[in-house]
Amino acid sequence: MLIEVTEKNNRELKVGDIIEISGNNELYMILSLKETLGGYVIVNMQNGYDSFSAYRSLERLESDLKVRGYKLYSSDDYKLQLMPRE
């Protein structure tokens, strides 16, 4: 997977954004569970399993991330390309 980042400094969280949580050096993507359970989760992009609890709103998710510390890669700022493994 290749991520090209072009910084636009959009800081509002939304579905599809990528988050790097301080201290664990792994990338997570914000996904919506509205079709099944409602709310939002962040899922580990490496293995697809690790996730934090579900959140009823993006505001609650953001408040939890602020406590942990995070870097945001807004979906407005990147182009994601799936690449075959070498």
Side-chain angles (χ1 to χ4, degrees):
M1 177 172 27
L2 175 67
I3 301 174
E4 290 179 33
V5 178
T6 56
E7 296 277 340
K8 292 182 184 173
N9 295 323
N10 184 349
R11 293 292 166 217
E12 183 177 317
L13 291 182
K14 60 190 163 307
V15 173
D17 286 352
I18 295 174
I19 304 291
E20 181 180 2
I21 297 175
S22 298
N24 81 0
N25 296 325
E26 293 186 357
L27 296 176
Y28 296 83
M29 181 176 277
I30 299 174
L31 299 177
S32 171
L33 297 177
K34 286 187 177 185
E35 301 297 320
T36 55
L37 304 172
Y40 304 89
V41 294
I42 52 176
V43 176
N44 188 308
M45 292 181 65
Q46 184 70 18
N47 61 28
Y49 297 112
D50 297 337
S51 122
F52 293 95
S53 61
Y55 298 89
R56 292 188 184 268
S57 70
L58 289 174
E59 291 79 21
R60 287 189 181 191
L61 171 59
E62 184 175 23
S63 66
D64 190 28
L65 287 172
K66 283 182 180 178
V67 171
R68 299 168 189 261
Y70 71 98
K71 182 173 183 178
L72 171 66
Y73 299 100
S74 173
S75 58
D76 292 337
D77 296 349
Y78 70 83
K79 178 173 71 173
L80 182 63
Q81 294 180 312
L82 296 179
M83 308 288 288
R85 291 185 185 202
E86 295 179 6

